[in-house]
Amino acid sequence: MQKEGLTEWLREQYIILARQTNTPVYYWENLPLRRLFDWIRAHNNVMKTKDR
């Protein structure tokens, strides 16, 4: 993934998590990447089980 693509993807993830958790985007922007990816993975797992 190119830098521009990664930046855009991260921005989308920040917005999705902020909307789903009713938190400001800057909260997600300030998380270390490892913790952010853990939250993204957990969110995706919840959404998968919710769709079943």
Side-chain angles (χ1 to χ4, degrees):
M1 187 178 294
Q2 295 179 353
K3 183 178 178 182
E4 297 82 22
L6 177 60
T7 302
E8 185 66 27
W9 181 83
L10 279 171
R11 234 181 247 132
E12 290 173 2
Q13 300 309 306
Y14 295 146
I15 292 168
I16 290 168
L17 289 168
R19 286 181 177 173
Q20 292 292 320
T21 61
N22 199 29
T23 55
V25 170
Y26 66 80
Y27 171 82
W28 300 103
E29 289 176 321
N30 289 319
L31 281 180
L33 283 178
R34 179 68 190 152
R35 286 193 59 208
L36 175 65
F37 287 132
D38 289 343
W39 277 105
I40 292 169
R41 188 176 305 108
H43 176 264
N44 289 341
N45 287 338
V46 167
M47 296 310 289
K48 281 180 192 174
T49 58
K50 187 177 178 182
D51 289 339
R52 290 183 188 174

